Structures are given as C-alpha cells and as structure tokens.
C-alpha cells in the first residue's frame, strides 16, 4: 500500500475536481494529450484477462477509452463504455472508427450513481482512474450501482485507485493487488514541447519538474517526479447476491 500523503500531491498537481471536470468537458483533446503516454502497467490486464475473454464488461468512467480499448484487446464479448463527458466519449468513438471490434462496444453517457445498464448485465464492472469514495465520483451510491449491474459471481475491479481511498475499499471488502515495477514508470509524450506544455498546464506548482525537464531534454515525466503513484495496482471484489 503506497504511502504518498495528500500534502505532497497538493504541491504538485491540479487536484481541484472542478478543474478536472472542466478539462474533461471543455478541453478533452488536452486531457488526451496528457494521458496518451500514461500507460497502465501491462500486468493489470494480463491478470484480468481470464475474467474478460468472451464476457460482457462495463468500463464505468471510461473517458476516452484507455481501459475500454484494453478490454477489447483481451477479447471481451461486449463492452459497455459509460462516461458523463460527451467530449471524451467522442474521442473514444473516433478511436473506434474502422476498427473491426467497434461493433462489440456500446458507448453511452452516464454516471456512477445511475448507470444505463440493466441489473446483472455484466460479468466484470471496472473503473480506471475514475471511481473514488467521494459521492460525485462514485461513493456508496456508485458502488451500489456497480453491484447492481454485475452478475452474481462477477467482479468489480477498480484500477489505479487513489491512495487515500485504500482504506475505504478494504473496509468495503475489496482485495488489493499491486505489481512490482522492474523499472520506474514514466509518462511518455511525443515531444519536449508537449511535455513542457502539459507540465505547465496540469502541474503548475511543480517547479522542480520544469528544471528537470529542461535539463534532461527528454519528452517524459516520471510518476515519482509528479508525486503520483504509478498505475500498477487495482482493487477487486467478487459479487455475491
Ligand atoms: C481520470 S479520467 C479517467 C478516464 C479513463 N477511465 C481512463 O483511464 O483514461 C476520470 C473519468 O471519470 C469520469 N467521471 C467523473 N465523474 C464521474 C461520475 N460521477 N460517473 C462516471 N464517470 C465520471 C470523467 O468524465 C473522466 O472520464
């Protein structure tokens, strides 16, 4: 269980939820630029693969489809991608154009507290970097909805949870999995210019980041430099009804 405290995050990252909501709504392309190089540890989906293949799966808070596209790669039968942001869903739909797997995905607008799915409709309900213990990003109501749409014996999987929610998930009966990294994980950008822009826009208070970027000259930022846990963990729980 990682130990980053919220103070170190405050110093480095835009943490106000309004800022992020506005980014998702008004500048989805900018958000896409940030997360394009923010790859999940491959072990996450390799571990989930047996539960995904030929199954119906929900990606709640799907955004522009980071986890949805992984699910399709791991041969799900049907994938429901749900998110409140039309801009991000639009990006996902653009990524699906001319892909043969596009017919396996249903993209809909919706929120954790009111998922547009029938009871017991999926074997796996997952959320990646989206579900938190806070009511506006899930919370008790959101968890009840994830349970409602998941078949008995199915799983809820919360990928890359916030460290401050670990206790909440453990108290709600989830198990924790974290993969050991062979080398530190970085966010990879396409150019140094894009890296500097994203650093300035999304991490304006992290002055050290600028100096180290200018010195290294490399289009990448390590998660540790951002004061963030890398995306190498998840919580999971089997649903019994
Ligand atoms: C950090 S992004 C992650 C997106 C995507 N899962 C990924 O891994 O790239 C958080 C996502 O949660 C979505 N979100 C925020 N509030 C939500 C809610 N109440 N219900 C469902 N999704 C929500 C946002 O629109 C955004 O797409």
């Amino acid at each position: 269980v990682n130990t980053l405290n919220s103070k170190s995050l405050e110093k480095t990252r835009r943490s106000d939820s309004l800022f992020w909501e506005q980014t998702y709504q008004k500048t989805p392309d900018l958000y896409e630029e940030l997360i394009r190089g923010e790859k999940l540890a491959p072990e996450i989906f390799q571990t989930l693969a047996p539960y995904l293949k030929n199954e119906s799966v929900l990606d709640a808070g799907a955004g522009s489809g980071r986890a949805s596209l992984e699910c399709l790669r791991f041969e799900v039968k049907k994938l429901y991608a749900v998110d409140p942001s039309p801009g991000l869903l639009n990006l996902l739909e653009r990524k699906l154009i001319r892909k043969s797997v596009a017919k396996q995905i249903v993209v809909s607008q919706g929120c954790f507290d009111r998922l547009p799915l029938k009871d017991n409709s999926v074997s796996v309900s997952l959320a990646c970097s989206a579900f938190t213990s806070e009511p506006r990003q899930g919370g008790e109501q959101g968890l009840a909805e994830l349970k409602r749409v998941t078949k008995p014996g199915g799983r809820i999987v919360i990928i890359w949870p916030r460290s401050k929610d670990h206790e909440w998930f453990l108290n709600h009966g989830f198990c924790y999995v974290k993969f050991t990294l062979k080398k530190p994980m970085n966010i990879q950008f396409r150019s140094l210019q894009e890296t500097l822009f994203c650093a300035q826009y999304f991490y304006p208070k992290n002055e050290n980041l600028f100096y180290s970027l200018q010195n290294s000259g490399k289009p990448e930022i390590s998660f540790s430099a951002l004061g963030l846990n890398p995306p190498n963990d998840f919580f999971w729980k089997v649903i019994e009804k």
Side-chain angles (χ1 to χ4, degrees):
V1 175
N2 81 65
T3 53
L4 274 175
N5 61 42
S6 50
K7 264 203 168 143
S8 71
L9 282 177
E10 272 166 34
K11 273 190 208 151
T12 62
R13 185 187 189 201
R14 296 296 308 249
S15 57
D16 44 311
S17 51
L18 195 62
F19 167 82
W20 288 101
E21 270 170 37
Q22 288 193 343
T23 302
Y24 303 143
Q25 301 296 337
K26 299 198 173 141
T27 54
D29 289 300
L30 206 52
Y31 171 73
E32 182 68 5
E33 215 164 280
L34 176 71
I35 67 143
R36 188 181 292 118
E38 223 184 57
K39 300 266 188 292
L40 305 172
E43 291 88 344
I44 294 180
F45 273 89
Q46 286 161 8
T47 304
L48 297 175
Y51 307 105
L52 301 175
K53 192 166 177 174
N54 296 325
E55 298 291 349
S56 294
V57 175
L58 162 68
D59 180 10
S64 56
R66 175 170 33 192
S68 299
L69 295 173
E70 286 293 304
C71 289
L72 293 171
R73 210 159 64 83
F74 283 92
E75 300 178 41
V76 297
K77 186 169 74 187
K78 195 93 196 162
L79 194 270
Y80 299 92
V82 175
D83 198 276
S85 162
L88 291 178
L89 291 178
N90 193 262
L91 285 175
L92 169 56
E93 281 171 334
R94 273 175 18 209
K95 289 178 194 172
L96 293 167
I97 292 173
R98 284 191 289 278
K99 280 210 166 113
S100 60
V101 287
K103 58 184 182 307
Q104 281 150 252
I105 180 166
V106 178
V107 177
S108 354
Q109 223 179 327
C111 286
F112 289 123
D113 60 0
R114 215 165 156 207
L115 293 168
L117 270 77
K118 292 190 180 140
D119 295 359
N120 305 332
S121 42
V122 291
S123 302
V124 177
S125 286
L126 63 83
C128 175
S129 181
F131 188 100
T132 78
S133 62
E134 285 166 35
R136 61 189 298 158
Q137 295 157 347
E140 298 292 343
Q141 174 72 34
L143 184 54
E145 272 293 88
L146 291 175
K147 279 186 192 156
R148 179 185 68 75
V149 303
T150 308
K151 292 176 189 168
R155 284 167 167 72
I156 296 179
V157 179
I158 306 294
I159 297 170
W160 202 13
R162 299 190 311 188
S163 49
K164 65 177 171 187
D165 287 335
H166 280 204
E167 211 176 310
W168 191 89
F169 285 112
L170 293 172
N171 289 338
H172 285 76
F174 281 78
C175 304
Y176 184 57
V177 177
K178 180 176 180 169
F179 299 99
T180 309
L181 298 174
K182 293 184 189 84
K183 54 179 185 161
M185 289 180 79
N186 293 331
I187 306 177
Q188 303 284 343
F189 294 88
R190 289 180 297 191
S191 66
L192 186 60
Q193 198 185 13
E194 197 179 271
T195 320
L196 286 164
F197 177 79
C198 282
Q200 192 169 31
Y201 190 83
F202 292 106
Y203 302 95
K205 294 181 188 163
N206 192 334
E207 286 169 16
N208 288 339
L209 187 58
F210 285 101
Y211 297 127
S212 66
L213 278 175
Q214 275 164 344
N215 285 336
S216 81
K218 287 188 184 161
E220 60 184 29
I221 303 177
S222 69
F223 283 95
S224 59
L226 297 176
L228 281 179
N229 321 305
N232 66 334
D233 60 349
F234 65 85
F235 277 101
W236 66 278
K237 179 183 168 118
V238 175
I239 297 308
E240 291 151 12
K241 292 184 190 170

